[in-house]
Every structure is written in structure tokens, then in C-alpha cells.
Amino acid sequence: AAEHLAAAHEARPDLFEICIPLARAYDQLHLTHDALAVRPCLAAAAASGSRPAAVLLERLERAALELEFQVAVSDHFMVSHPKHGAAAESVGRVLELLESARDSIGARTGMVAQRRIPVVIYPEQEFALATGDPHGALGVYDGKIRFSLERTNHSPELLETMLVHEYVHALLHEYTGVRVPPWLNEGLAVYLSEPGYDRRELVRLLDESEQALNHETLSRSFRRLPPERVKLAYHQSYWMTRDLIEEYGWHRIDALLGELRASPNAGFETAFRAQYREAPDAYLGRWSGQFF
């Protein structure tokens, strides 16, 4: 697709309908130099009011930060990092932890990412710029695993947990695209990477809010939530996911993800109903009924 779009863009460099999908294709292929070459057309499209062009332009401006980084690779990961400092000194360990995460999650779930996953290590200030500093997150996955060593306080345990967590997001994206809603996506990432959250803290957060977050809220990016709701969203997602697995078994999650992977046009709600005999919002209502 990129080759055809590039030929069309060469013939009509000012046509928004061509340059926007071309830049998006280059970005998805991690061809940052090529994507940045399309900036003039994207800027014009953004100035004319195109929201997709504006979002993509902002993303590419952030990607430009990475062009001066060095790259280290392993069999299944490609890590961009500053040439000097803690990131350069730690990149070998980061690759080891990522390969270990791939092996351990594969052993637990039977799912293994096949594509080489891009990873970026930032200095603290540039991480905040590149990600928009989403609620003080340790790491982010948006097509690339992005993180700052400073945010893990250089803790080996915290670094490992964060990398496993973000790898799970990358794995789910490869398997299902964006069809797994945030509550299950985050729930699985916490379930597979961390000891989990204390149920007493969930009860406290629910008591404070006086109601559980609804399915519509949990199906949108948590970045859009007010900061005071983010903690409840993560705790609720984890316990909804954990209780789902404990009630029905991991094999149902495996079948759900397998159906989404095998059928690119399958919707999440349809696949969920097929496995659990109820809609996701019905499960949420039944689940939250134990607290209210």
C-alpha cells in the first residue's frame, strides 16, 4: 500500500486524501524518515481542520525525537535509545527482560508475538513529551513500547514488571488489533505481569465513588478519564478480569482471543457473548452487584 500511495503522492503532493494514509502507512512501518518527508502536506491538512492529520502530525513530531537515537536489536525486539547515559548502559538488560517476558507469557498463555516489537527508551523529560505523560505511567504501548528508566526509579523489579505489562499490550494488539476493550486489555496486562491489586483497595475505591465505572467508560482509553478515576479504572479492570478467569477458566479467555484473531471482522461483544453467554455490560452489572 505504501508503494502505491508514494507513487500517487509524488504525482499529487498536495492531495490530503493521499498524504494522510501514506504518512500513516510509513508510521506503522516505522519508516520515520519517510513519514516526516510528508509533513508539509500533513501540516496543510491539519491547518484546514483535518483531525486525523493533526493527530498524525503530532505523533510524527514526537517520532522525530528518536532519529538521533541508537538502535539495539534481539531476535524479537528493536530498542531505540539515547547514545549515552543510563539507557545506553541498560539496553542489553532491557532486551534480556523483553525476551524473557516473551518466553514466560508464551509458556503461560500459548500466545507469542511473531513480529519484532519496537521499543523506545527516553530520558524522563522526553518521555513526558512523547507520550503526553498519561497519568504518570511507567510505560506506554501505542504501537511501540515506550518508557523512561527514571520512572522505574532504576528498580530491577519494577522495570521487569513494567516491561512484561507493556509486552502483553503489544501481544494483544498483534493478536486482535484494537478490538479488546481497555478494561480487558489492562486487566490481562496486570494479571499476567504483577502480583495484582489488593481487593480491599478496590472496595475502598468503590465505596468512595458509590458506583462502579460503567462498561462504556471502561471501553474507552483510560487517558481520557479524570485523574481521580484512573486508579479505580485499573483496579476494577483487574478484578473484573481476574474474577472472569476464576469463574470460567483461562481457556475461555484463550478461546475469546483466538476467535478475534481468526476472524478479523469479529466484534468483541459478539465474541464475548459466544464464550460467556452474556454481553460484557451484563457481566459488569452482575460483577458489580456483589459490591452494591
Side-chain angles (χ1 to χ4, degrees), residues 244 248-260 268-279:
L244 190 69
Y248 293 99
W250 175 264
H251 68 282
R252 292 285 182 89
I253 291 286
D254 185 55
L256 170 65
L257 298 177
E259 182 174 345
L260 292 173
F268 176 78
E269 182 167 340
T270 300
F272 190 94
R273 282 178 179 272
Q275 294 302 320
Y276 297 104
R277 302 295 186 263
E278 63 182 341

Side-chain angles (χ1 to χ4, degrees), residues 123-167:
E124 165 64 17
Q125 186 174 359
E126 293 185 5
F127 175 79
L129 176 63
T131 63
D133 196 24
H135 305 302
L138 298 180
V140 171
Y141 177 75
D142 60 0
K144 298 181 180 181
I145 295 174
R146 306 176 190 271
F147 70 96
S148 166
L149 287 169
E150 286 83 355
R151 291 211 171 184
T152 66
N153 296 317
H154 300 282
S155 162
E157 295 79 11
L158 196 55
L159 175 63
E160 182 175 7
T161 295
M162 181 273 297
L163 290 175
V164 175
H165 184 109
E166 300 306 329
Y167 169 74

Side-chain angles (χ1 to χ4, degrees), residues 49-254:
S50 169
R51 176 62 179 164
V55 171
L56 188 55
L57 185 64
E58 181 181 355
R59 180 181 175 90
L60 292 177
E61 294 291 352
R62 295 198 302 263
L65 292 171
E66 303 167 26
L67 293 180
E68 300 302 318
F69 286 4
Q70 288 186 330
V71 176
V73 298
S74 63
D75 290 342
H76 306 104
F77 298 90
M78 176 176 64
V79 180
S80 301
H81 62 91
K83 297 177 181 178
H84 306 288
E89 297 169 2
S90 303
V91 66
R93 178 58 178 158
V94 167
L95 285 169
E96 290 177 3
L97 289 172
L98 287 165
E99 291 289 352
S100 176
R102 181 179 182 273
D103 292 342
S104 63
I105 296 300
R108 289 183 65 182
T109 68
M111 299 187 298
V112 179
Q114 299 301 317
R115 300 174 184 174
R116 178 171 279 164
I117 297 173
V119 182
V120 188
I121 309 176
Y122 296 95
E124 165 64 17
Q125 186 174 359
E126 293 185 5
F127 175 79
L129 176 63
T131 63
D133 196 24
H135 305 302
L138 298 180
V140 171
Y141 177 75
D142 60 0
K144 298 181 180 181
I145 295 174
R146 306 176 190 271
F147 70 96
S148 166
L149 287 169
E150 286 83 355
R151 291 211 171 184
T152 66
N153 296 317
H154 300 282
S155 162
E157 295 79 11
L158 196 55
L159 175 63
E160 182 175 7
T161 295
M162 181 273 297
L163 290 175
V164 175
H165 184 109
E166 300 306 329
Y167 169 74
V168 172
H169 286 320
L171 176 64
L172 292 173
H173 186 267
E174 180 178 313
Y175 264 61
T176 69
V178 295
R179 286 175 293 159
V180 174
W183 71 266
L184 184 58
N185 203 318
E186 293 295 348
L188 286 172
V190 176
Y191 181 82
L192 292 169
S193 67
E194 302 176 6
Y197 300 137
D198 192 319
R199 198 174 186 91
R200 290 171 296 183
E201 180 65 6
L202 169 70
V203 172
R204 186 188 70 79
L205 291 168
L206 288 171
D207 284 344
E208 283 185 357
S209 70
E210 299 183 345
Q211 61 181 353
L213 297 176
N214 62 36
H215 187 258
E216 181 181 357
T217 298
L218 292 172
S219 297
R220 299 194 300 263
S221 171
F222 292 174
R223 294 191 189 192
R224 301 179 187 177
L225 292 175
E228 65 274 11
R229 307 293 272 174
V230 172
K231 188 173 183 179
L232 174 57
Y234 276 94
H235 280 68
Q236 187 174 326
S237 296
Y238 167 71
W239 279 104
M240 285 174 61
T241 301
R242 176 170 168 173
D243 289 346
L244 190 69
I245 293 169
E246 291 184 351
E247 181 176 356
Y248 293 99
W250 175 264
H251 68 282
R252 292 285 182 89
I253 291 286
D254 185 55

